[in-house]
Amino acid sequence: MSDVPPLAFFGEYASTYEGIERLNHFWFFQMAMADEVLAANDMAWVRQVMQDKWTADDYDATEDFEAVRKALGEPARLRAAIDLYRMNFAPQEMGTPEWAARHAELWGEVPAQPTLYLHGTEDKSVVLDAEGLAAIGASLSAGSEVAFIEGAGHLVPAEKPVEYNERVLRFLGKEH
C-alpha cells in the first residue's frame, strides 16, 4: 500500500482546509483545460507537482518524471489517467456522506486480509501524524501493520526503494 489511506480517513481529510489545499489537483483534474495544461511544455505541470508536492525536498524526481512522461505522453493515456479522478472524485459530492457511501460500495470494506500501510513522513499531499497512523492501523484487519517511512514523500517505493522492499518482503514473509 502507498500513501492513500482507507476511504474513511481520506474523506475526512479531504473536507479540511489543509486537505483541500493539498488535494487541489483532484478538483483541477475536473476541468476540461486540465488535459491541455498537463500536456503543455512537455508535461511541465506534472514535473513540478512531482518534485514540489509529491516527493521529499531532497529527492530528485527527474527519473520518475521521465517514466511518467513516457507512460502518459500520448493524449489517450493522459486522458485515461485524468478520467480516474473525474469518475471517482466528482467535485459536487466529494467528501459528502453520499460520496462516502458510493465509494464504500465501489471499493468494498477494508480488506479482511492483513494489510501493510506505509506512509512517507515528507508526504505533502496527505499529511498524517502519529495519531492518524495509529487510527488507520486500528481500522485494518488483524495482522496488519502501519509504519512511517522516514524521509519519503508520497512516492515511497521510488523514494526509499530499499527500505520499502525490505518492509514489504518482511511483511509477506510473516505468518498472518
Side-chain angles (χ1 to χ4, degrees):
M1 223 177 190
S2 66
D3 284 11
V4 180
L7 180 63
F9 297 91
F10 186 74
E12 192 174 300
Y13 181 73
S15 65
T16 66
Y17 173 80
E18 180 182 50
I20 291 168
E21 180 66 25
R22 293 177 186 277
L23 300 173
N24 61 21
H25 60 285
F26 285 37
W27 285 273
F28 170 64
F29 291 165
Q30 306 299 320
M31 298 179 196
M33 70 180 218
D35 300 65
E36 288 181 39
V37 171
L38 292 173
N41 301 321
D42 205 24
M43 300 185 86
W45 188 92
V46 175
R47 180 192 321 262
Q48 185 170 354
V49 168
M50 284 184 72
Q51 190 62 61
D52 296 346
K53 189 173 181 179
W54 291 342
T55 57
D57 290 339
D58 64 348
Y59 182 76
D60 181 0
T62 302
E63 189 176 325
D64 301 302
F65 166 73
E66 287 304 320
V68 169
R69 189 179 61 73
K70 285 180 183 178
L72 301 179
E74 294 179 20
R77 290 186 200 165
L78 180 59
R79 176 120 184 123
I82 297 170
D83 281 349
L84 170 75
Y85 289 87
R86 291 176 176 159
M87 291 186 308
N88 290 308
F89 302 102
Q92 68 275 13
E93 67 176 26
M94 187 173 172
T96 66
E98 294 79 16
W99 176 81
R102 183 169 62 86
H103 281 277
E105 289 174 15
L106 290 172
W107 294 1
E109 298 296 318
V110 171
Q113 71 272 17
T115 302
L116 175 62
Y117 180 83
L118 302 174
H119 194 96
T121 58
E122 302 300 315
D123 187 346
K124 298 174 209 109
S125 60
V126 178
V127 176
L128 196 60
D129 59 15
E131 183 179 316
L133 186 68
I136 288 171
S139 76
L140 299 174
S141 63
S144 294
E145 295 179 19
V146 297
F148 282 119
I149 301 296
E150 191 66 39
H154 192 63
L155 308 178
V156 175
E159 295 178 66
K160 298 290 182 177
V162 172
E163 184 174 354
Y164 177 83
N165 287 330
E166 286 173 355
R167 286 179 179 261
V168 169
L169 291 172
R170 188 175 22 195
F171 180 77
L172 292 174
K174 289 183 177 180
E175 289 188 34
H176 295 283

